Amino acid sequence: MTAPVGTARGGGPLPVPRTDARTAERLALSARTLQGRGLPTEEVADWLAARAAANRFRVDPIPFAALDGWSFAGATGNLVHRSGRFFSVEGVHVTIGDGPLQEWQQPIIVQPEVGILGILAKEFDGVLHFLMQAKMEPGNRNLLQLSPTVQATRSNYTKVHRGAGVKYLGHFLGEGRGRVLADVLQSEHGSWFLRKSNRNMIVETTEDVSAEDDFCWLTLGQIGALLRRDNVVNMDARTVLACAPVGTGGSEALLPDTGLVSWITEERSLHEVRARRIPLETVKEWRRSPDSIEHAEGRYFRVMAVAVQAESREVTRWTQPLLEPVGLGVTAFVTRSFGGVPHVLVHARREGGFLDRVELAPTVQHTPGNYRHLTGADRPPFLDLVADAPPGRVLYEAVHSEEGGRFRHAESRCLFVAADEAEAPAQPPAGYAWVTPGQLNSLVRHGHYVNVQARTLLACLNTAAAALTC
């Protein structure tokens, strides 16, 4: 398959990503290697438990009045930090023009700075290994999960919090870093962040790098095995792994590459998406109490606050707001084979927080409880197909946490679900298209084409945690 050709954000041609065949082979070998030089896979759970026991971790919900350094600004009611850094919770008015809900207002996280999500790679015994961190995030239900080597906002690594330095940061910044395997700006959750991006990086080193106490070397195959378990590999690690240059696949895609990029461009051109920042105190249908900001009908999410103790973090105590979704999400690709080639059904999804209006999302990306009141054509397409799929149709399933630094107990049931022509036709509804995993791998090397939920599922393919049957 040739790489996509289209239009870049600045108006010029979209660069053609060149796949280094040798790098793709090395990544494939790592994905097939289930035991490496580092920690054995069967010992990872005990190692995470030991790292949790070695440090004191505690997260307690608190009222907004108990936040230290955070307050509601007098003129706007926005929830802001006294430093003017980190992030703020503000209001946004979103208009998308069509559908059952054409405009709404909501709280949203505003965090304009770009953070670094970086995984360090090194070859041991001819196999690429990846340095993963046991990182505590206050929003994770189980607190400690495997994260990238470096997972830091700009405020963190420039020490706005006056804490300790970020370990291994030098491998990702400056001229002294190693060979870059992936480096791309990717979006965060477009429903909860306003135009937020992070730098996703994989850097290979030939230096002698020891794994410190909260770090371990794992192969892609080991990480894939762990991705079959609930809440082990965090969202930041998944989005970086999705960017691994594993190759572009064959040439038998149902939709040619130029046609795919043209379709995405058309979706972005045809649909108006406007997101206007407004004062938090003016957001309609949301109510603020001493300890939360909630939707009037109890849907979607709430904003709350926590006090955190984490001895292994750069700062060991702090307070902060968190966004807490209502209910378990469902993130799923419906999959079929055409001419013996596996395809997944992508959705050109519009979200108010996207930088470029539309990104490719999974077939289903919803919290079912938020749509329980809708019937018929107003219900999201394919939601019932995925939610009611019999076990024999489910090719992969695991519950994964979303970003634990900003969201509390945000979890999604992630699936690949096989379908037939009656359930998911070769000519899908408007806003949907069949693409190959190779096409997604090609697009993900450019920023803001594949959303964070789709990147979680792509990471499962890249690491062989999931396999699509022909």
Side-chain angles (χ1 to χ4, degrees):
M1 184 180 81
T2 57
V5 178
T7 302
R9 187 178 311 283
L14 190 70
V16 178
R18 299 296 181 185
T19 300
D20 180 342
R22 175 59 181 151
T23 297
E25 291 172 1
R26 296 168 71 214
L27 289 166
L29 174 61
S30 184
R32 293 193 302 269
T33 303
L34 301 182
Q35 294 293 352
R37 171 79 73 85
L39 190 68
T41 309
E42 62 272 13
E43 295 180 11
V44 171
D46 289 341
W47 177 74
L48 286 171
R51 298 319 307 156
N55 298 281
R56 184 175 300 176
F57 298 122
R58 180 166 178 166
V59 179
D60 295 307
I62 58 174
F64 291 130
L67 284 167
D68 181 16
W70 296 84
S71 62
F72 291 98
T76 61
N78 294 342
L79 187 52
V80 299
H81 192 263
R82 64 188 169 207
S83 68
R85 301 288 294 275
F86 300 111
F87 65 95
S88 59
V89 181
E90 305 182 18
V92 66
H93 185 118
V94 180
T95 304
I96 62 171
D98 58 10
L101 185 61
Q102 298 182 15
E103 66 176 309
W104 67 90
Q105 296 181 0
Q106 66 170 83
I108 200 164
I109 297 173
V110 178
Q111 187 175 354
E113 63 185 27
V114 175
I116 291 179
L117 306 177
I119 296 180
L120 190 64
K122 182 175 172 61
E123 190 173 284
F124 296 100
D125 302 325
V127 178
L128 280 175
H129 289 59
F130 300 84
L131 189 60
M132 308 301 291
Q133 179 182 179
K135 190 176 183 69
M136 181 273 191
E137 292 290 337
N140 291 339
R141 195 178 297 276
N142 57 347
L143 294 184
L144 211 66
Q145 296 186 16
L146 288 177
S147 81
T149 318
V150 168
Q151 177 184 319
T153 66
R154 183 170 178 81
S155 291
N156 288 147
Y157 67 78
T158 57
K159 299 185 181 180
V160 171
H161 52 38
R162 300 179 182 177
V166 177
K167 296 177 180 178
Y168 303 104
L169 181 64
H171 291 281
F172 300 91
L173 293 177
E175 296 181 358
R177 67 190 186 194
R179 181 185 177 217
V180 176
L181 303 183
D183 189 357
V184 61
L185 288 179
Q186 298 288 8
S187 62
E188 295 284 304
H189 295 74
S191 292
W192 299 335
F193 279 112
L194 184 63
R195 294 186 281 274
K196 174 74 172 73
S197 298
N198 275 324
R199 189 178 181 184
N200 288 232
M201 303 180 71
I202 303 174
V203 175
E204 182 182 0
T205 184
T206 57
E207 299 176 10
D208 291 331
V209 178
S210 60
E212 299 196 25
D213 286 343
D214 290 315
F215 295 80
C216 68
W217 292 102
L218 298 171
T219 68
L220 277 187
Q222 290 181 281
I223 297 170
L226 296 168
L227 277 167
R228 298 186 191 107
R229 306 178 188 177
D230 294 349
N231 290 330
V232 175
V233 181
N234 82 350
M235 186 217 75
D236 299 288
R238 300 192 306 267
T239 180
V240 175
L241 293 168
C243 299
V246 299
T248 54
S251 59
E252 303 87 0
L254 196 63
L255 181 63
D257 296 338
T258 52
L260 172 59
V261 175
S262 178
W263 174 72
I264 297 170
T265 303
E266 183 175 62
E267 288 290 326
R268 288 175 169 173
S269 302
L270 291 178
H271 298 293
E272 188 71 25
V273 180
R274 298 180 181 179
R276 178 171 55 90
R277 289 162 72 171
I278 61 176
L280 182 60
E281 67 179 9
T282 68
V283 173
K284 297 178 181 178
E285 297 185 357
W286 290 77
R287 300 170 180 170
R288 176 176 144 193
S289 70
D291 56 9
S292 70
I293 302 171
E294 300 185 36
H295 188 264
E297 296 180 355
R299 297 195 188 111
Y300 312 122
F301 62 87
R302 71 185 188 112
V303 180
M304 46 88 70
V306 293
V308 185
Q309 181 178 359
E311 291 181 342
S312 64
R313 292 289 297 264
E314 292 87 1
V315 171
T316 58
R317 292 176 181 270
W318 73 92
T319 64
Q320 69 169 94
L322 288 174
L323 185 154
E324 184 177 46
V326 176
L328 178 70
V330 174
T331 297
F333 269 134
V334 170
T335 179
R336 288 185 62 189
S337 290
F338 298 97
V341 179
H343 286 64
V344 296
L345 187 60
V346 297
H347 179 207
R349 185 177 174 92
R350 291 168 284 164
E351 294 184 4
F354 284 157
L355 186 65
D356 210 352
R357 302 186 183 185
V358 169
E359 294 190 17
L360 297 188
T363 321
V364 172
Q365 179 191 312
H366 300 293
T367 300
N370 292 335
Y371 301 90
R372 196 169 289 123
H373 62 295
L374 299 179
T375 59
D378 287 341
R379 285 186 63 75
F382 306 104
L383 174 58
D384 295 329
L385 167 65
V386 167
D388 300 333
R393 294 286 192 94
V394 177
L395 306 181
Y396 169 88
E397 180 176 5
V399 173
H400 293 305
S401 296
E402 304 299 339
E403 214 283 312
R406 297 291 176 266
F407 312 135
R408 183 173 189 260
H409 297 173
E411 297 171 317
S412 292
R413 182 180 170 224
C414 299
L415 307 102
F416 286 92
V417 176
D420 58 27
E421 175 67 21
E423 297 163 328
Q427 294 294 327
Y432 292 81
W434 290 105
V435 305
T436 67
Q439 288 178 306
L440 284 182
N441 274 307
S442 190
L443 285 172
V444 82
R445 295 175 215 176
H446 305 287
H448 308 285
Y449 272 85
V450 182
N451 82 348
V452 69
Q453 289 88 351
R455 295 197 305 272
T456 276
L457 295 172
L458 185 57
C460 294
L461 296 177
N462 287 354
T463 61
L468 305 185
T469 56
C470 295

